[in-house]
């Protein structure tokens, strides 16, 4: 699989790796995941979002596979711990056959908190995709000739980060006085 995380630029509307917003703004995010063709054979396929100085709104997370919206509670579960501002989506790989070889697009908003930093480091928001790195006998694998030994597969992961800055300024310079031409 592959994964890309992007933030929506507030002026152009384009999806980028970094942009600027004001404290209190709801910042739109998009995560695109290339789904492996053998997704139904994987034991684990989870996505964790970890924001810094942002709080994810998990009530409005939308997960799509192509044009179809996946069903929360059936095809995936989402959780947010009280002590954390991010979320974790756990996909039920046995129900992902229709997404095999396609793309998942996860969209949501996060509020830029008053604790946001105004330095050049910015406020990061990272996503991490974790997935099984082997298909083992007895683990959704009907292939009796699988050369792997039974057991628990290891994990691989992909991480991608976006940054939101809070010091962006819009300046309008006017000729002669405040009522002059811009």
């Amino acid at each position: 699989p592959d994964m890309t995380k992007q933030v929506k630029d507030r002026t152009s509307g384009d999806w980028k790796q970094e942009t600027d917003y004001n404290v209190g703004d709801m910042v739109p995010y998009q995560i695109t995941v290339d789904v492996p063709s053998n997704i139904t054979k994987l034991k684990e396929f989870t996505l964790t979002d970890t924001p810094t100085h942002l709080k994810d709104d998990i009530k409005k997370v939308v997960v799509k596979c192509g044009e179809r919206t996946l069903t929360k509670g059936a095809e995936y579960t989402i959780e947010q711990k009280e002590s954390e501002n991010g979320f974790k989506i756990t996909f039920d790989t046995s129900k992902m056959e229709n997404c095999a070889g396609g793309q998942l697009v996860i969209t949501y908003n996060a509020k830029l908190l008053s604790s946001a930093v105004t330095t050049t480091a910015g406020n990061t928001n990272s996503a991490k995709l974790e997935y099984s790195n082997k298909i083992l006998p007895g683990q959704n694998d009907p292939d009796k000739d699988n050369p792997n030994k039974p057991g628990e597969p290891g994990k691989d992961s992909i991480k991608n980060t976006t940054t939101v800055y809070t010091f962006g300024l819009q300046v309008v310079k006017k000729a002669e006085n405040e009522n002059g031409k811009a």
Side-chain angles (χ1 to χ4, degrees), residues 66-87:
E67 295 298 314
R68 186 176 68 85
T69 302
L70 272 64
T71 306
K72 179 178 161 184
E75 294 167 295
Y76 71 93
T77 58
I78 186 168
E79 62 180 307
Q80 183 175 46
K81 296 178 180 154
E82 288 296 324
S83 62
E84 298 175 14
N85 290 334
F87 60 80

Side-chain angles (χ1 to χ4, degrees), residues 34-47:
D34 292 335
V35 180
S37 58
N38 65 348
I39 185 71
T40 58
K41 293 184 177 185
L42 298 182
K43 185 172 183 177
E44 180 180 353
F45 203 71
T46 60
L47 179 80

Side-chain angles (χ1 to χ4, degrees), residues 116-134:
V117 296
T118 58
T119 65
T120 56
N123 303 280
T124 60
N125 193 339
S126 299
K128 183 177 181 181
L129 178 68
E130 293 180 283
Y131 54 95
S132 307
N133 63 3
K134 285 185 182 175

Side-chain angles (χ1 to χ4, degrees), residues 147-160:
N148 294 316
K149 295 179 181 172
E152 285 294 314
K155 287 187 208 178
D156 281 331
S157 64
I158 300 168
K159 189 173 182 180
N160 201 294

Side-chain angles (χ1 to χ4, degrees), residues 19 26 28 34 40 51 54 57 59 62 73 79 85 99 103 109 121 124 126 131 138 156 158 161-162 170:
T19 189
M26 292 303 283
D34 292 335
T40 58
L54 293 136
D57 181 2
K59 293 178 184 169
V62 176
E79 62 180 307
N85 290 334
C99 295
Q103 276 192 333
N109 293 323
T124 60
S126 299
Y131 54 95
D156 281 331
I158 300 168
T161 302
T162 60
Q170 182 175 0

Side-chain angles (χ1 to χ4, degrees), residues 3-63:
M3 178 194 64
T4 305
K5 179 174 181 132
Q6 296 178 309
V7 60
K8 190 178 235 180
D9 185 87
R10 78 181 163 100
T11 53
S12 71
D14 295 333
W15 293 102
K16 298 182 171 186
Q17 289 304 115
E18 54 189 36
T19 189
D20 63 282
Y21 277 86
N22 297 314
V23 169
D25 285 350
M26 292 303 283
V27 182
Y29 286 94
Q30 174 178 280
I31 301 170
T32 305
V33 178
D34 292 335
V35 180
S37 58
N38 65 348
I39 185 71
T40 58
K41 293 184 177 185
L42 298 182
K43 185 172 183 177
E44 180 180 353
F45 203 71
T46 60
L47 179 80
T48 305
D49 192 72
T50 311
T52 305
H53 305 292
L54 293 136
K55 181 167 178 73
D56 292 340
D57 181 2
I58 71 164
K59 293 178 184 169
K60 295 184 181 173
V61 172
V62 176
V63 181

